[in-house]
Amino acid sequence: MCGTTLYVALEVYEGKPYDTKVDMYSFGLMMWEMWFGERVFSELRSLIPREFFRRIKDENYRPQTPRSDGRFIPNPPPAQWDRAHDILLAHRTMPETNGKRM
């Protein structure tokens, strides 16, 4: 395996076939760090890689949204992540007129 544990997609860690989506996953985590000015998964840094990836896979653990008091806002349930993905896909399939989406 190649890469830094915190930024590696689960399928890479597990040795499964993967495509460019794993690069977008890693890029998204770096963008999260730039946006919030915090290290991603800082609350999980003490875990060994096997336990870290178990949390990602089995518990659908995602980066937490930091609050000003140093604590984290709980993540939305995975169903909301799926809904956001559906909205993005719907937007991509909308017809374009004069270069603008309708």
Side-chain angles (χ1 to χ4, degrees):
M1 179 180 77
C2 203
T4 304
T5 303
L6 296 177
Y7 304 96
V8 170
L10 183 62
E11 49 268 47
V12 175
Y13 175 75
E14 292 180 335
K16 294 181 178 178
Y18 58 88
D19 57 19
T20 57
K21 291 177 185 176
V22 300
D23 296 325
M24 291 307 298
Y25 174 82
S26 300
F27 180 71
L29 294 177
M30 289 186 286
M31 296 305 299
W32 185 96
E33 288 184 342
M34 291 170 54
W35 181 262
F36 290 111
E38 304 271 344
R39 296 297 302 250
V40 71
F41 297 124
S42 61
E43 67 281 7
L44 301 181
R45 288 188 175 272
S46 63
L47 300 178
I48 61 173
R50 180 181 32 195
E51 181 61 18
F52 172 79
F53 284 107
R54 185 197 65 76
R55 300 268 320 261
I56 300 292
K57 181 178 182 178
D58 297 340
E59 298 175 19
N60 275 324
Y61 196 87
R62 300 294 183 265
Q64 306 294 295
T65 305
R67 296 179 359 173
S68 60
D69 62 4
R71 298 185 325 181
F72 293 96
I73 298 171
N75 277 329
Q80 290 182 5
W81 283 77
D82 292 341
R83 178 72 180 129
H85 182 260
D86 293 342
I87 292 169
L88 177 64
L89 288 177
H91 178 71
R92 286 183 179 164
T93 59
M94 292 176 66
E96 292 190 22
T97 304
N98 296 331
K100 296 181 181 179
R101 296 204 184 271
M102 298 187 68

